[in-house]
Amino acid sequence: MPWGLAGIFLNIESRETRRHVSKRGVEADTLRNELCEKLSGLIDPRHDAVAIKQGRYNSRKCYVGPYKNEAPDLVVGYNEG
């Protein structure tokens, strides 16, 4: 499964200088899930191919350990090419 080189960070309260999303509660979780759904199957119109396969991952469900909160909020799995 190909992983993208960069993740997507939400503007989370107390982590980013210009916060827009609450750190706790359903707001951040809802946004993560919505972005995961919308990124799945994104088409590259130039090549008429799927650019982002099923690979869109809520990092809160992927990572474990003491540095989990430093990871991007979403990790994008791009299609090959």
Side-chain angles (χ1 to χ4, degrees):
M1 147 181 6
W3 288 76
L5 297 176
I8 297 172
F9 288 86
L10 303 179
N11 285 339
I12 299 286
E13 171 183 32
S14 79
R15 185 179 70 188
E16 310 296 336
T17 55
R18 294 183 181 199
R19 75 164 186 90
H20 296 285
V21 180
S22 296
K23 181 178 182 178
R24 302 195 189 285
V26 289
E27 186 179 9
D29 288 335
T30 300
L31 183 55
R32 282 185 198 99
N33 292 332
E34 179 183 347
L35 289 170
C36 283
E37 286 178 27
K38 289 183 176 183
L39 286 172
S40 179
L42 186 69
I43 300 292
D44 172 0
R46 183 174 180 194
H47 297 99
D48 194 32
V50 175
I52 298 176
K53 290 185 120 178
Q54 197 171 0
R56 72 280 181 254
Y57 307 97
N58 181 336
S59 66
R60 299 302 174 256
K61 297 177 183 177
C62 296
Y63 296 126
V64 295
Y67 300 106
K68 171 178 161 173
N69 292 330
E70 304 302 320
D73 293 286
L74 299 171
V75 179
V76 179
Y78 298 98
N79 193 1
E80 293 182 28

